[in-house]
Amino acid sequence: MSFCNAVVLITGGSAGIGAATAEVFAKEGASLAIVGRNKEKLNAVAKRCQELGAKTLTIVADLTKDEEADSIVKKTIDEFGKLNVLVNNAGIFRQSGIMADEFLTSFDEVMNTNIRAPVRITRSAVPSLIETKGNIVNVSSIAGTNVNRPTFIAYKTSKAALNHFTRCVAFELAPHGVRVNSVSPGPTRTNIFEGSTVNADTLLEKTALLRVSDPVEIADLILYVASDKAKSITGSNYIIDNGSMLK
Ligand SMILES: NC(=O)c1ccc[n+]([C@@H]2O[C@H](COP(=O)([O-])OP(=O)(O)OC[C@H]3O[C@@H](n4cnc5c(N)ncnc54)[C@H](OP(=O)(O)O)[C@@H]3O)[C@@H](O)[C@H]2O)c1
């Protein structure tokens, strides 16, 4: 599954699933552009990727700011000359009920990060992906499919939108030879739930296998979906959730 000579752009590459994804692509020989707001964390991930032999570009950007989201593909092309794979991974989780005073503020924050940013980045990446017959992997969530927690409205709505965006863009880009898929993790051990009433361990009991994933497990699936081994797969949503959806 070699990615030698491939250029991979990963948003949210400074932590969690995005950082693990950068490392698995680095091991397969890809050149990487990794994006996040935290420069120190990005540099630490870049160092690990470079130790694995990867050329690495770090891009500090807040993807909720249109001009910063729009700049990341150009910066990647300026550095590496092309783009083969876009991984729209950056995302946030917020908890708020529909009747809460802060609901709309929280809703806008989540929608801007989890769906508006991937839409903008996809638009700017498409011409380059058509040139390389590349592909997109959107990191969604089982939250985009299930409805089991009342205060997760914004997050679940954003991921349902991302799932449908994935299918619609897959259909439009298929004639151009560009594949578009999503990967939907269940509970995974990262910092995304900080500040909320849940964490990966409280969600463990919701899984059929009674286990929570490590980020590298999600990264390995992203790698597969982005690879030529998955050349017949487009418009699909791959659930990787330790059986959470069974309960
Ligand atoms: N962990 C889980 O249980 C789980 C389950 C299902 C789906 N997911 C999905 O997996 C993806 C990755 O999440 P994670 O669990 O790895 O969380 P994480 O450890 O909190 O990492 C989130 C990443 O997104 C970046 N990010 C967030 N807002 C950003 C912004 N405005 N601009 C640029 N970068 C931004 C963060 O970078 P900076 O802080 O440097 O900006 C960080 O690199 C998300 O889409 C999430 O919804 C996670």
Side-chain angles (χ1 to χ4, degrees):
M1 215 189 289
S2 172
F3 279 85
C4 287
N5 301 318
V7 176
V8 181
L9 169 58
I10 303 167
T11 69
S14 56
I17 292 168
T21 302
E23 288 187 44
V24 297
F25 275 105
K27 282 180 191 156
E28 295 299 327
S31 297
L32 299 166
I34 54 173
V35 185
R37 293 163 299 183
N38 187 311
K39 194 175 178 185
E40 288 70 37
K41 286 186 181 173
L42 276 178
N43 285 342
V45 176
K47 189 165 176 279
R48 291 202 295 276
C49 293
Q50 285 154 8
E51 283 164 4
L52 293 165
K55 289 182 196 148
T56 309
L57 170 70
T58 56
I59 305 173
V60 177
D62 180 346
L63 299 175
T64 63
K65 296 185 176 147
D66 287 349
E67 65 286 1
E68 295 186 28
D70 290 346
S71 72
I72 66 171
V73 171
K74 181 176 183 317
K75 285 181 175 164
T76 305
I77 305 284
D78 286 350
E79 178 74 12
F80 295 120
K82 63 173 182 168
L83 178 66
N84 298 91
V85 178
L86 167 64
V87 182
N88 279 313
N89 163 77
I92 57 168
F93 173 77
R94 298 285 183 272
Q95 237 181 319
S96 182
I98 190 72
M99 290 181 283
D101 288 343
E102 78 288 352
F103 177 77
L104 282 176
T105 306
S106 163
F107 183 82
D108 285 346
E109 193 186 357
V110 170
M111 295 301 274
N112 284 340
T113 310
N114 292 6
I115 181 67
R116 193 168 196 278
V119 168
R120 287 197 79 95
I121 297 162
T122 297
R123 271 175 56 80
S124 55
V126 161
S128 309
L129 291 172
I130 288 175
E131 272 178 31
T132 58
K133 308 283 182 224
N135 71 87
I136 301 173
V137 183
N138 292 322
V139 181
S140 185
S141 167
I142 55 169
T145 304
N146 66 15
V147 182
N148 57 2
R149 298 230 171 200
T151 56
F152 288 19
I153 299 174
Y155 186 70
K156 285 174 179 288
T157 304
S158 73
K159 295 300 189 180
L162 187 60
N163 290 349
H164 213 54
F165 176 69
T166 300
R167 288 186 283 267
C168 292
V169 181
F171 190 57
E172 185 168 334
L173 295 186
H176 299 281
V178 174
R179 300 185 299 109
V180 188
N181 293 289
S182 53
V183 163
S184 284
T188 307
R189 224 173 283 285
T190 71
N191 292 327
I192 196 166
F193 298 116
E194 255 175 26
S196 76
T197 60
V198 288
N199 60 48
D201 289 317
T202 61
L203 294 171
L204 182 141
E205 68 197 44
K206 299 277 177 197
T207 71
L209 291 175
L210 293 175
R211 70 182 295 280
V212 167
S213 289
D214 287 321
V216 68
E217 298 168 38
I218 316 304
D220 282 338
L221 180 58
I222 293 168
L223 183 81
Y224 171 76
V225 170
S227 77
D228 279 348
K229 284 184 187 289
K231 59 177 175 278
S232 58
I233 300 172
T234 197
S236 289
N237 176 26
Y238 273 76
I239 287 174
I240 172 165
D241 71 341
N242 295 292
S244 300
M245 293 290 288
L246 300 173
K247 277 187 144 178

